[in-house]
Amino acid sequence: MGARRSILLVSVLLLLVGCTPAAEWFGVRLLYDRADLPAERLLSGVAYRDDAGADPVKHRLDFFLPEGEGWPILVFVHGGGWTAGDKSLNVSGADVYANIGRFYARQGIGTAVINYRLQPGATWREQVDDVARAVAWVREHAPAHGGDPESIFLMGHSAGAQLAAYVALDARALDMYGLSPGDLCGVVPVSGAGYDLADEETYDLGAERAWYEERFRAGDPGDDWLRDASAITYVGPHAPPFLLVHVTNEWKSLHHQNRLLHAALQDAGATSELLVVEGSGHNRMVLTLSHANKKPVPEILEFVRRRECSSARAKMHAS
């Protein structure tokens, strides 16, 4: 009975404060569970691109390192509608993305939280290239810190989920760096959209075509962008395993997009799981990604730990 009263109190408070700084603060306090990691286990602001064309802020990542050797790695891509966001995001005192890095490192999973260039200063293709380049950097440099280069997972939230899925499916993205989708151990797109931009039912369900067109047309004089920018276009039997996650309190069009990608992966003979999390909303979902007692964290940990991409995976699974 006490738990029900607490839930009712929370609901009433949120209704009273509405979309105010007080509501934001209360939501963070409710969902943010700070994870700690020794300072020496963090490589901060590392350049994953350092040529003359590199952006001094956006071509950077923070690498959170577990103890020991042979650990798997998450490359995390933040959201923000392709036009906003940064790995240093702080909401009412909560360092949201850094906490994801600390949390998974504490669980024995190295985590690279990356920046990437934002629109309109960059095209969606350049954003895809940034994510692929970051994966290549991690694969090359992780062994020096104890990571297993054969056990790399891509994970993203919202727009970051779309970019992660695209890099994992369109072989051209990683091929630029001598890699392929087969070099990824798995993909965890969380609350992603825009997987199939050509799907008319998505727009019938409320998605705004003009909003996506602004982000993905990128100078295309025709309608090829609808297919070219869609991760679903590149689904095939050799796709890495997927754990697709979305929550009930999100748009119907987003639910539909996740079901479309899940079905396409399964139809192609690839491995795909679809997890629907009850209750949480689109923005708050990112806070739960570093909360051990809330979905989808146990499922993400299981997904990473049960993959056997190398001999190190078998040793980790046995321990």
Side-chain angles (χ1 to χ4, degrees):
M1 192 68 178
R4 291 179 63 187
R5 285 176 179 165
S6 297
I7 293 170
L8 179 61
L9 176 60
V10 168
S11 301
V12 171
L13 285 171
L14 290 175
L15 284 171
L16 288 173
V17 297
C19 296
T20 67
E24 180 182 270
W25 181 92
F26 190 79
V28 168
R29 297 278 93 54
L30 184 67
L31 295 173
Y32 178 76
D33 186 17
R34 180 180 172 82
D36 291 317
L37 189 73
E40 63 270 20
R41 306 306 301 171
L42 168 63
L43 303 179
S44 181
V46 178
Y48 64 84
R49 177 180 173 182
D50 59 5
D51 59 88
D55 187 292
V57 174
K58 293 305 182 183
H59 287 131
R60 301 273 172 167
L61 59 81
D62 296 335
F63 203 3
F64 299 82
L65 311 175
E67 300 284 351
E69 300 285 332
W71 28 264
I73 306 154
L74 281 176
V75 177
F76 182 84
V77 189
H78 70 73
W82 298 276
T83 63
D86 191 89
K87 63 184 176 60
S88 64
L89 176 69
N90 191 294
V91 181
S92 297
D95 52 351
V96 177
Y97 299 132
N99 203 53
I100 289 172
R102 292 192 301 267
F103 172 80
Y104 287 98
R106 286 291 301 270
Q107 303 297 317
I109 302 168
T111 306
V113 179
I114 75 167
N115 270 351
Y116 55 92
R117 288 170 292 175
L118 302 174
Q119 298 183 31
T123 67
W124 68 266
R125 291 183 177 87
E126 290 170 320
Q127 293 179 313
V128 164
D129 182 69
D130 286 351
V131 175
R133 188 184 293 253
V135 170
W137 185 96
V138 168
R139 183 176 171 87
E140 179 182 355
H141 293 89
H145 304 286
D148 180 0
E150 303 299 326
S151 295
I152 295 177
F153 294 77
L154 254 178
M155 177 178 173
H157 173 257
S158 194
Q162 184 271 341
L163 291 170
Y166 193 100
V167 168
L169 292 171
D170 185 353
R172 295 172 297 179
L174 288 170
D175 183 64
M176 291 286 294
Y177 303 100
L179 302 175
S180 73
D183 290 307
L184 293 172
C185 200
V187 192
V188 186
V190 180
S191 294
Y195 298 133
D196 186 354
L197 295 166
D199 178 69
E200 290 298 334
E201 186 175 347
T202 297
Y203 303 113
D204 292 341
L205 288 169
E208 295 183 20
R209 181 184 171 112
W211 190 86
Y212 284 102
E213 183 173 0
E214 181 181 0
R215 286 154 175 77
F216 292 103
R217 177 176 285 280
D220 181 355
D223 284 334
D224 288 346
W225 65 275
L226 291 164
R227 185 177 185 277
D228 293 345
S230 296
I232 202 168
T233 300
Y234 310 98
V235 167
H238 301 298
F242 269 68
L243 173 62
L244 287 154
V245 182
H246 71 84
V247 299
T248 54
N249 291 341
E250 290 178 314
W251 311 281
K252 290 182 179 179
S253 60
L254 185 148
H255 294 179
H256 179 62
Q257 283 282 302
N258 278 264
R259 289 194 297 268
L260 283 175
L261 182 55
H262 174 59
L265 286 161
Q266 289 194 318
D267 289 346
T271 298
S272 180
E273 302 170 52
L274 179 63
L275 175 65
V276 181
V277 179
E278 296 289 334
S280 185
H282 184 79
N283 292 327
R284 290 188 179 184
M285 182 62 180
V286 75
L287 285 167
T288 71
L289 293 177
S290 56
H291 198 301
N293 297 323
K294 293 188 180 294
K295 284 191 170 189
V297 169
E299 290 80 5
I300 292 172
L301 291 174
E302 181 191 5
F303 180 77
V304 172
R305 288 169 174 164
R306 74 170 183 258
R307 301 263 80 81
E308 296 190 3
C309 302
S310 72
S311 58
R313 169 70 52 246
K315 284 187 278 186
M316 179 186 174
H317 189 70
S319 61

